[in-house]
Amino acid sequence: MTLAQIFAFNLALLVAIASPGPALLVALQTALSSGRLAGIAVGCGLGLMASIWTLLALVGLDAVFSLVPWAYAAAKIAGALYLFYIAWQMWAGARDAITAGAKPARRAFRDGFLINVLNPKSVLFAAAVLVVIFPPGLGVAEIAFITLNHLVVEIACYAALACAMTTPRVRDAYLRAKVYIDRVAASVLGALGLRLLISRD
């Protein structure tokens, strides 16, 4: 394992984190609606599970999904249903007034963790990236380093996002358009859940 490989892995992570999807959408909406602490907490949940998926990919869970297709299908269905649940909550609460601590940090962490734990494509993405970047036969220390590196990058990115989204100017703009932003976010999450449910890969 070389510094160039770690750099390439981190670059791939940054692109994945910035790509539109359930994780980024939930992180944005949580920070805007519930504040900086909840935004950081949801990022910690997302990052923890994403790094666990990387660890599992490194030890071969992607092969398990290939050998046991029903396990992958079950995880996809559970993930889609959870996205529908989050989407419904956003839609139903779009007109609710923002109160201090609208979403406690503990609940935000749980939501972030579950968004990624119920996304089986994460392990397949991790496996594909890892195979391309790192050589086979990594040792225990190298696997631990890659996993910890992934966790640190994810938390740093989502913490920075939460801080940026909770500045007074951004938050005031969100409050003025809350009902529209929340319902667009809910619609996108619902569409992503449907896509996860009906996709064949």
Side-chain angles (χ1 to χ4, degrees):
M1 186 173 66
T2 65
L3 286 176
Q5 289 166 344
I6 293 295
F7 178 79
F9 179 61
N10 287 342
L11 185 61
L13 278 182
L14 293 174
V15 171
I17 291 168
S19 300
L24 182 62
L25 196 56
V26 168
L28 284 169
Q29 200 274 341
T30 299
L32 286 168
S33 63
S34 299
R36 185 171 300 176
L37 183 59
I40 294 173
V42 78
C44 288
L46 288 164
L48 177 60
M49 191 59 228
S51 63
I52 291 173
W53 278 130
T54 287
L55 173 62
L56 294 175
L58 286 167
V59 298
L61 184 62
D62 57 311
V64 174
F65 276 148
S66 297
L67 292 172
V68 190
W70 64 263
Y72 182 69
K76 281 179 59 178
I77 292 169
L81 292 177
Y82 191 68
L83 288 179
F84 293 150
Y85 168 72
I86 296 292
W88 169 250
Q89 283 191 319
M90 282 187 189
W91 185 279
R95 292 191 180 276
D96 294 347
I98 295 293
T99 57
K103 181 185 286 189
R106 182 179 298 179
R107 181 182 161 198
F109 177 85
R110 181 205 67 189
D111 285 350
F113 188 82
L114 288 177
I115 285 290
N116 271 348
V117 79
L118 295 172
N119 184 10
K121 289 190 174 183
S122 295
V123 72
L124 300 182
F125 169 81
V129 169
L130 293 165
V131 166
V132 169
I133 295 175
F134 294 108
L138 293 172
V140 173
E142 291 171 317
I143 289 173
F145 178 84
I146 294 168
T147 303
L148 181 60
N149 171 83
H150 187 161
L151 177 62
V152 170
V153 170
E154 292 255 353
I155 291 176
C157 287
Y158 286 118
L161 180 67
C163 291
M165 290 296 102
T166 52
T167 59
R169 179 177 295 181
V170 173
R171 186 166 173 79
D172 289 346
Y174 167 72
L175 291 174
R176 288 193 296 271
K178 178 181 183 298
V179 63
Y180 307 107
I181 293 172
D182 284 5
R183 287 192 170 168
V184 167
S187 299
V188 173
L189 276 180
L192 290 169
L194 184 61
R195 181 181 176 186
L196 180 61
L197 191 62
I198 65 177
S199 65
R200 295 186 177 182
D201 56 349

